Every structure is written in structure tokens, then in C-alpha cells.
Amino acid sequence: MPSPQPFAGVLVPALTPFTPAGEPDAGRFVAFCRWLLDEGADGLAIFGTTSEANSMSAAERMTLLDRLIASGIPAAKLMPGTGACSITEAATLIRHAVAHGCGGVLMLPPFYYKGMTEQGIYDFISAVIDRVGSAALRMYLYHIPPQTMIPFGVELVGRLIKAYPDTIVGLKDSSGDWANTKALLDAYPGFGIFPGSEVFLLDGLRNGGVGCITASGNVNVPGIRKVYENWKTPQADQLQADITLVRMTIQKYPMVPALKRIVAHFHGDPDWAAVRPPMERLSDAQSASLLADLAKIGYSLGERRREAAE
Amino acid sequence: MPSPQPFAGVLVPALTPFTPAGEPDAGRFVAFCRWLLDEGADGLAIFGTTSEANSMSAAERMTLLDRLIASGIPAAKLMPGTGACSITEAATLIRHAVAHGCGGVLMLPPFYYKGMTEQGIYDFISAVIDRVGSAALRMYLYHIPPQTMIPFGVELVGRLIKAYPDTIVGLKDSSGDWANTKALLDAYPGFGIFPGSEVFLLDGLRNGGVGCITASGNVNVPGIRKVYENWKTPQADQLQADITLVRMTIQKYPMVPALKRIVAHFHGDPDWAAVRPPMERLSDAQSASLLADLAKIGYSLGERRREAAE
């Protein structure tokens, strides 16, 4: 039997703000994470793909985590991404997260080399867990083949659960392929499976999923929470259609720059739009078009927040 | 006009030995690098793909470089790989290499995110160079789309040369696509272009290339040097055919584990076969088959070494 789940509900891979000089902006990051929790996020999957985590050094990531913890954000709500191409760097990041008492970590496969065997990926994860050597570690596998090209296939996931039943407690499926999510849900009941997009939230919950970890959570926690709270009610399908529409509207644009642009606009803080290369911020034309598209569907971050608070 | 070339000839992306416990083995690494130079290597592109560089943390790479330098290996012969997904880590690795006086560095594009724009890649390289801020830096771009999926396209290379003519002095083309190498050679005469395989060494030299940086250099420096030294002679095509045969024989197997197995065999040091996950060492059956294939074509590391010394 898998371990009890440390996380469920709506988890947000929090965006990472950068200063005009391109440095991680710890002050804005802390404020933004606190705001996401106030909005109703059940947890923060900081340092994910949406967070531009791999555009930061290990030291930069650990400093930001230190600052979050120092600010009083509960470690149990945090699931930092600890992916790295090397066993050594991954183990360093995980040890740091475990020492802070983080609820779990989100673990990429080693993503530089392509065409590696399942045994090679298994050995990598196994070596990392052995090197960390902590009974407190709760690891979520991060399946995101569009970026890594290295999958956590259904069979490999089963081998890892069997070998590390108290450590490997779940998976984020960012394949964008519902058939894959469904196959995992069917194969491993009780395993903590989070679709990587709220588009699959309702389908996931109806099939044994525990929530979602989704980029657009950065700008739509209240809407996504409504689906999570009401998934057994007759309104569920309409609520799901509402959040799917928001997601689809945003993802017509490059996702991370678009989300940062939305935050910049609705938080009244233009510096928020900054990204680190190789990402590029939206052009003025793209920004105007995105905001117009969102207005057309009646989206407003502030209004949604007020509505949720009513 | 491009800067004078700090490197030419046969450069070897030196294999990295690991101890049975999986740690980088600095003693064996120093001895192996010295041996490669004794064999006739013109330079060592340490910390490349073949070196499993991305299976090491930045700290592990810097420690190995420190040890090479401390051992008396000339920094001018070294072109360390300094690729990283983040501007900050790449800049740290480059500053360290420049401080040691390395002849150049080999620079990957940021390889986590896929589908980035040329402008995004340009901004990344530009930000790294600006952050390093050293007139002593000589950078070679590392084009290896089979692993990165992020190309340094011909046009982008031209923009970078134009913006940083004294810094960006060459490129390693590991696309495996001669048409791409040829297009670069034709477009940028005087730019230091190294095919990433000795299979294209002679074609490269005949078209303005300056040598090659090749994995199989780890086990065949003397053979590859012969082509480099005799490329204008009537024997050139036969010498090229000889080294192509060796390469083709080895690359029927997973390249890095195969090269390590060859080193283990011919140096009489079984521990050399160790790789870090996600790579896997060759099975006993694969090893036997590889060594038999090499015997069939008359390859022997020791004999070639003696022959070269005559």
C-alpha cells in the first residue's frame, strides 16, 4: 500500500520573479507565494518548469527556499522541484528540502542525455534516493516528456513504487496525454497522481486522481479550487468548462511569459513580466492581444479573487 | 575578421572515470588526460557529452579541473565544457575556466526548455558572456541537437559572431549532418569549426575546418592524428577510411559505455568501465562482442600506440 498522501488539491508551480538586473527576486517571490496560499492554493510546487527552475542555479533555488521558510510559509505546503541532470546536484537539492521539512519534492528524470534505457532512469532515481538516505523523503515523479524527452513510463513507475513504497508517493503527469494519466490511475490506485493541467482535473478526480499541479494556478486558483470542491455536484462539468476556457485562452501564447504578463497586469507591477533567457517576454502586441482575449471571456484576476472571498 | 584560433587538430572530449562508489576519480582522470596528450591529442575538450559532464554537479567539474591544472597539464590545451541550463551556473563555470587560463570553453545552449526562439538562445549566450565580462574568454559553441534539441542554427551563429567577434571563435558540430557542417564552413571562413566526429575530419579539412573534437579520440588519437597530419597527401582517403571503420565499429554500441569498456580492457583497469546513471555499462555479452568486432578489424589500442611511436 502506498504511503498516506502529503498533498492533495490545487498545487501551483509558482512563477519566479526576476529583478530588472535578472536576479531572482526573493521579496516578490515570498509575497507572491503567500498570495497564492491566501487565494486557496493547497500547496506550492515551487521550482517547476513554470517557475523557470532550470534557468536558476542550485544555489539560487536553495536561497529562495530558505527565504520562503524564513518568511513563515509552512514547509509542509511546499513541494520544491529538485530535478537535475546529476545525481549529486539532485541529492543536494533534496537534502536541503528535506532538512527544511518540505512536504515532498518533485523529481525530474535526468534530462540531458536522450535515448537512455528504463534501467538507466531507474538506477538514477535509485542512486539519488540512496544518496539522500532519509526516511522523511516523499518524492513525486515529474513526467514531462515535452521538455525532458525522457519518460517515466507506466511500467517504470510501477518498479519504482515497488522498490520505494514509502518514498515515491506520487507523480505529476505533464504529458498532456489523458490516456497516459488514465493508465497510471488505473494501474496504481492510491498513488498520488496529479495531472499537470487543470484541463484534466475533473477527469482525474473522477478516476482516482488527487488534484492537479498546474501552471495556470498562478492566475486562477479560485476557479480551479471550485472544481476541486464541487466535483461531485451537478455543477462540476460547467465549472470545469469555465477553467478550461481560461487555460485554453492563455496557452495560445507562450505559457510562462503569458502568465507573468497577467500577474504584472493584475498585480499592477510591470517588473513581474521579466523572464530569464532562453525565455522571452511577450511583445507589446502579444500582451495586448492576450489581455483582450482574457477580457473577452470575462476573466479578471481581481474580480475572481473578490468573488471567491464572498 | 575572427580572432586567431586557440585550438586546431585532434581534440578529445576526455572520458571521466568514476570510482566504484560512483564519485569522479580525479587521480585516474589526471593520468588519463596526460596519456591522451602523450598519445598526440592537440587539446582536451573535457566535460563534454562523452565525459558525462552533465552527470556531474558544477562543483564536481570545477574540482576535476583544479586537479588537472594542479597536476601540471597546460591550461592552454584545455577546452572545458561549461554548458548549463542557467546563466548563473554557466557563468560560474566559465569564470573558473578563464581564471585557470583555459584556452577556451565549449558552450551548450540552455537545454531544458524546448521550442525556444533563436532570440531567446541569443539572449542566453549574450547574458552569459556579459556576466563573465572577461576579454580573455574564447568560446566555442556546442551544436549537438540529438541531445539538446536546441540548435545553434547557421543564422544564429552568424549573429553571435558579429556581436562577439573576439569571444565566439568557433563551433563544435555534433549534428552528425555534414550538410550543416559544410553550410557553416562556407558561411564563416576563418571561424574555428570542428566536426564532432572524425568521420568528417578529412571533408572538414578540405573545406576549411580546423580539426575535429571526437569521442573516439579517447581510444584512437594516433589514427586520427595521421589523417590530420597527412590530409594533403595521396594516402589521406585511405587513412580516413581506416579511422572511419574504427568509429563505425564502436558506435554500433552505446558510445560512452563502449569507449569506457575499451579503455578498461586495453589499460588493464576494469574499474574504468563504470558510468554514472542514467548511462549503463555494457553487458558482458556486449563487451565480448565489441572486443571481438575490434579484433576483427585489427584494432588494438596498445599496438596503435607503439606504431605511432615508431
Side-chain angles (χ1 to χ4, degrees), chain A:
Chain A
M1 267 303 290
S3 290
Q5 283 296 317
F7 292 98
V10 179
L11 272 64
V12 182
L15 294 162
T16 307
F18 294 102
T19 66
E23 305 304 318
D25 186 332
R28 272 194 176 81
F29 184 59
V30 168
F32 186 67
C33 286
R34 186 177 304 282
W35 176 78
L36 287 170
L37 292 172
D38 290 347
E39 287 275 282
D42 295 291
L44 301 177
I46 54 172
F47 312 146
T49 300
T50 304
S51 319
E52 298 171 82
N54 289 300
S55 300
M56 292 189 280
S57 66
E60 287 175 319
R61 293 199 243 175
M62 290 191 284
T63 300
L64 285 180
L65 177 56
D66 291 341
R67 290 289 296 270
L68 279 191
I69 300 288
S71 82
I73 285 185
K77 297 261 187 193
L78 299 176
M79 185 199 287
T82 53
C85 296
S86 69
I87 289 165
T88 28
E89 187 169 306
T92 299
L93 290 166
I94 293 174
R95 278 204 197 106
H96 181 255
V98 169
H100 272 309
C102 290
V105 302
L106 190 55
M107 187 65 198
L108 285 168
F111 54 83
Y112 179 68
Y113 294 102
K114 304 301 180 288
M116 296 290 102
T117 62
E118 280 214 347
Q119 185 62 46
I121 313 300
Y122 178 93
D123 289 345
F124 180 92
I125 298 295
S126 174
V128 169
I129 292 173
D130 292 351
R131 191 175 273 252
V132 172
S134 168
L137 171 60
R138 297 290 174 273
M139 179 183 283
Y140 289 78
L141 303 173
Y142 190 2
H143 177 60
I144 182 166
Q147 306 297 345
T148 61
M149 312 279 157
I150 294 280
F152 283 117
V154 176
E155 209 178 323
L156 172 58
V157 170
R159 282 187 63 197
L160 286 165
I161 295 173
K162 198 172 164 191
Y164 299 99
D166 298 323
T167 302
I168 299 183
V169 297
L171 178 143
K172 177 183 181 189
D173 186 357
S174 294
S175 65
D177 173 11
W178 168 249
N180 186 69
T181 311
K182 181 71 166 57
L184 287 164
L185 287 164
D186 290 348
Y188 310 117
F191 190 57
I193 296 174
F194 292 88
S197 164
E198 75 273 31
V199 168
F200 302 117
L201 176 56
L202 186 55
D203 285 337
L205 292 168
R206 284 173 175 164
N207 286 275
V210 290
C212 67
I213 304 176
T214 180
S216 24
N218 281 286
V219 299
N220 197 17
V221 167
I224 302 169
R225 279 282 313 176
K226 271 191 207 164
V227 174
Y228 183 66
E229 285 163 15
N230 299 288
W231 72 271
K232 289 179 178 169
T233 71
Q235 292 76 45
D237 286 288
Q238 183 53 52
L239 293 170
Q240 176 66 55
D242 291 348
I243 63 172
T244 296
L245 178 62
V246 174
R247 169 77 179 214
M248 293 304 182
T249 302
I250 299 169
Q251 73 180 24
K252 286 194 293 172
Y253 302 85
M255 197 70 186
V256 175
L259 292 169
K260 286 190 148 178
R261 189 66 190 77
I262 295 169
V263 171
H265 180 78
F266 287 99
H267 291 233
D269 184 356
D271 284 349
W272 248 105
V275 292
R276 254 193 181 170
M279 292 206 183
E280 288 183 279
R281 55 171 90 202
L282 297 192
S283 67
D284 289 347
Q286 282 176 312
S287 296
S289 170
L290 165 66
L291 295 172
D293 286 352
L294 286 171
K296 245 179 265 169
I297 62 166
Y299 170 91
S300 161
L301 191 58
E303 281 173 30
R304 284 188 176 242
R305 188 180 178 179
R306 280 193 296 278
E307 191 185 307
E310 274 161 17

Side-chain angles (χ1 to χ4, degrees), chain B residues 21-47:
Chain B
E23 305 304 318
D25 186 333
R28 272 193 176 82
F29 184 59
V30 168
F32 186 67
C33 286
R34 187 177 303 283
W35 176 77
L36 288 170
L37 292 173
D38 289 348
E39 286 275 283
D42 296 292
L44 301 177
I46 56 172
F47 313 147

Side-chain angles (χ1 to χ4, degrees), chain B residues 11-30:
Chain B
L11 272 66
V12 182
L15 293 162
T16 307
F18 294 102
T19 65
E23 305 304 318
D25 186 333
R28 272 193 176 82
F29 184 59
V30 168

